[in-house]
Amino acid sequence: MFKKILVANRGEVALRVMRSAREMGIKTVAVYSQADVNSRHVEEADEAICIGPAPSNQSYLVIPNIIQAALQTGAEAIHPGYGFLAENAEFARACTDNGLKFIGPSPEAINKMGNKSIARETATAAGVPVVPGSPGAIETVDEARAFADRVGYPVLVKASAGGGGKGMRVAVDADDLQKQWDAARTEALAAFGDDTVYLEKYLLRPRHIEIQILVDQNGKGAYLYERDCSVQRRHQKLIEEAPSVALTPERRKEMGEAALQLAASVDYEGAGTVECLFDQDGSFYFMEMNTRIQVEHCVTEMIVDRDIVAEQISIAYGNPLSFSQEDLSIRGHAIEFRINAEDPRKNFQPSPGRVTRFAVPGGYGVRVDTYLEAGKDIPPFYDSLVAKLLVWGATREEAIARGKRALKEFHVEGIATTIDFHYAALDRPVFETGEVYTDFLEKEMGDWDVE
Ligand code: MV4
């Protein structure tokens, strides 16, 4: 096994990766910015190297500084976590060029999945269904109109380089199309420096369902079932659960196998997630593939009883996947709540600052992944996720009850958080029935405020 790895990240995910590494007998190197000198991931690592000033484009995103830290400390591999450089093919290439193993897929696989329209074509070629859409980029609004007339309105104009809902516009009829076409292209150019767009049939009230996979260097893979991440706000996930109440065992198997086929078609290696839209009629469509570990991977860990990060590291070393598809089964139900330093009463505006109290819930079926402690400052430079609260229950109903209990027991003072917003969301009758779609927050929580 590797003797030492570098974790190119901060916050809860840096700790998460270091925990698995330590259990595997691997020494860890943390990197940190000047704003993170007193951060928990620095304390828990065996060694730590400062890689620059607070802004991420001067520290966590500076490839040469991270490579230098790995070479200087004798780390053999780099785990990128999520965010920052995790899906940067150039970074994966720089690792390899310097004799370091990038814990993740090849630069080629990252690139193929990083471009929306190439990813769509790859999925189609692998036999994975995609939302009915234009085969590739659409050049003119006349071409767009011809396509929309064929599949019917509403249609979605989507940026090829897009992500996170940017450069995405719904056109409800032919009159609307010119306007939405212009808007999507302008937004795409501003956000990605590329105004290439394509069209899709627009699905009404879909669910966001994603499949977790792991594939070793010999191409042996397994799907670790799905997560339902329909509860999102402006394309930021807030609550994730597994399994999805919407899937039959047959659909689950079909989606899992499709995800593995897609992975095989790009010689995928490591952990990955295939994100799908799940339509009201039971059809599923490929949306995108995330070529990294995700924030919500722990939801899956709780229902399959496997350490996904440990498996990632082991695969990167060249070991075979430690289990087969037949060894896996779903046990119970898990839900994750993202605890963000944001004020849900002020349009979720970031709420960095000093934390004066940080009392985390515990007990049976509760997991909290966090880097935060009372007395620490949350720097304003990075994302606002400060903790993940995960609950497990034998049934979904039990998981919801445990979630409410744990949220009530989570006390954070000094900053605003999403804790009581989560409680209110769980308390909605539609959450209990599982009739939760991507418009849940808009529809159910639009007027939310507490006493
Ligand atoms: C869609 C869609 C409906 N129809 N595509 C939003 C983010 C981007 N990655 C894809 N998104 C959507 N694509 C078609 N053809 C609805 C959404 C969508 C959505 C998807 C997942 C989770 C939350 C969402 C919220 C609004 C819209």
Side-chain angles (χ1 to χ4, degrees):
M1 187 34 67
F2 298 122
K3 292 190 173 55
K4 194 190 275 190
I5 66 172
L6 180 143
V7 182
N9 217 298
R10 66 178 303 280
E12 72 84 22
V13 72
L15 275 169
R16 167 71 193 87
V17 172
M18 282 163 28
R19 285 183 174 127
S20 290
R22 186 163 273 173
E23 290 172 16
M24 297 167 85
I26 302 167
K27 294 261 188 275
T28 55
V29 181
V31 292
Y32 63 98
S33 72
Q34 284 163 10
D36 279 336
V37 182
N38 296 315
S39 197
R40 184 82 191 277
H41 80 283
V42 175
E43 182 184 348
E44 297 300 334
D46 294 298
E47 289 169 76
I49 305 277
C50 183
I51 51 166
S56 25
N57 61 8
Q58 294 173 54
S59 50
Y60 297 106
L61 292 172
V62 183
I63 295 175
N65 294 9
I66 293 167
I67 299 287
Q68 160 69 22
L71 296 175
Q72 180 186 326
T73 54
E76 299 145 85
I78 298 187
H79 195 301
Y82 53 70
F84 295 127
L85 297 168
E87 291 177 285
N88 186 312
E90 207 188 303
F91 180 56
R93 172 68 63 211
C95 290
T96 310
D97 289 349
N98 284 278
L100 301 159
K101 174 65 188 166
F102 175 76
I103 301 177
S106 68
E108 291 76 21
I110 296 174
N111 273 335
K112 276 190 190 148
M113 291 305 161
N115 178 291
K116 283 220 155 190
S117 56
I118 296 176
R120 245 179 93 86
E121 287 164 26
T122 308
T124 306
V128 180
V130 298
V131 185
S134 55
I138 284 194
E139 308 283 336
T140 66
V141 72
D142 289 331
E143 237 185 289
R145 196 165 282 122
F147 169 83
D149 287 341
R150 232 172 338 107
V151 302
Y153 287 92
V155 294
L156 196 56
V157 188
K158 276 188 172 181
S160 295
K166 278 216 181 81
M168 200 174 96
R169 284 287 196 286
V170 183
V172 295
D173 56 34
D175 281 344
D176 196 27
L177 187 59
Q178 177 79 58
K179 187 175 146 210
Q180 304 307 338
W181 170 265
D182 291 337
R185 291 188 63 136
T186 305
E187 198 173 308
L189 187 63
F192 313 110
D194 176 358
D195 66 358
T196 314
V197 296
Y198 65 99
L199 253 66
E200 279 180 11
K201 169 109 190 110
Y202 183 65
L203 308 177
L204 295 165
R205 302 191 88 203
R207 289 179 197 258
H208 173 123
I209 294 182
E210 56 186 37
I211 316 297
Q212 175 72 58
I213 61 158
L214 277 165
V215 187
D216 70 20
Q217 291 179 9
N218 292 318
K220 179 192 167 189
Y223 58 88
L224 286 71
Y225 312 107
E226 78 282 1
R227 296 181 285 264
D228 191 320
C229 308
S230 299
V231 180
Q232 306 191 6
R233 182 182 171 276
R234 303 204 177 151
H235 309 297
Q236 294 296 317
K237 294 168 187 161
L238 268 172
I239 301 176
E240 300 103 339
E241 61 180 298
S244 171
V245 300
L247 297 196
T248 60
E250 294 73 33
R251 200 41 118 224
R252 177 168 293 122
K253 181 164 188 274
E254 197 185 334
M255 291 177 76
E257 286 172 355
L260 288 174
Q261 262 177 51
L262 174 61
S265 80
V266 296
D267 294 318
Y268 199 83
E269 169 197 331
T273 300
V274 177
E275 295 193 335
C276 298
L277 288 173
F278 192 80
D279 199 6
Q280 301 273 348
D281 69 2
S283 321
F284 70 92
Y285 303 102
F286 169 80
M287 209 171 13
E288 59 188 69
M289 182 168 186
N290 296 314
T291 57
R292 57 162 198 277
I293 192 83
Q294 285 180 294
V295 174
E296 62 271 26
H297 74 278
C298 312
V299 172
T300 300
E301 293 183 328
M302 285 188 110
I303 60 154
V304 299
D305 259 326
R306 309 281 154 160
D307 181 334
I308 297 172
V309 173
E311 210 60 48
Q312 262 191 311
I313 297 171
S314 171
I315 285 170
Y317 186 72
N319 291 330
L321 188 61
S322 75
F323 51 82
S324 299
Q325 191 65 53
E326 300 71 48
D327 300 327
L328 296 176
S329 60
I330 298 177
R331 181 177 153 268
H333 197 95
I335 311 178
E336 172 176 273
F337 306 95
R338 295 195 190 194
I339 313 303
N340 297 332
E342 291 170 357
D343 191 343
R345 288 176 191 79
K346 292 182 182 154
N347 203 26
F348 289 80
Q349 87 181 22
S351 171
R354 176 149 305 173
V355 179
T356 53
R357 184 176 184 210
F358 196 70
V360 303
Y364 184 66
V366 174
R367 168 176 172 176
V368 179
D369 276 23
T370 185
Y371 68 104
L372 206 53
E373 318 161 56
K376 293 273 172 94
D377 292 306
I378 301 167
F381 306 100
Y382 315 110
D383 83 16
S384 61
L385 182 77
V386 296
K388 304 187 304 200
L389 168 62
L390 291 121
V391 294
W392 179 89
T395 61
R396 186 170 185 271
E397 197 183 3
E398 191 181 306
I400 291 172
R402 183 159 294 133
K404 286 186 183 171
R405 183 274 285 176
L407 286 161
K408 277 285 176 221
E409 204 180 301
F410 207 144
H411 306 289
V412 182
E413 290 168 17
I415 56 159
T417 75
T418 48
I419 292 171
D420 50 5
F421 183 83
H422 281 305
Y423 189 95
L426 267 195
D427 212 26
R428 299 285 158 168
V430 288
F431 195 94
E432 209 152 310
T433 64
E435 291 297 303
V436 177
Y437 306 96
T438 45
D439 60 0
F440 172 81
L441 292 184
E442 250 170 276
K443 273 216 154 61
E444 287 292 319
M445 303 295 288
D447 58 354
W448 174 79
D449 202 354
V450 251
E451 41 287 356

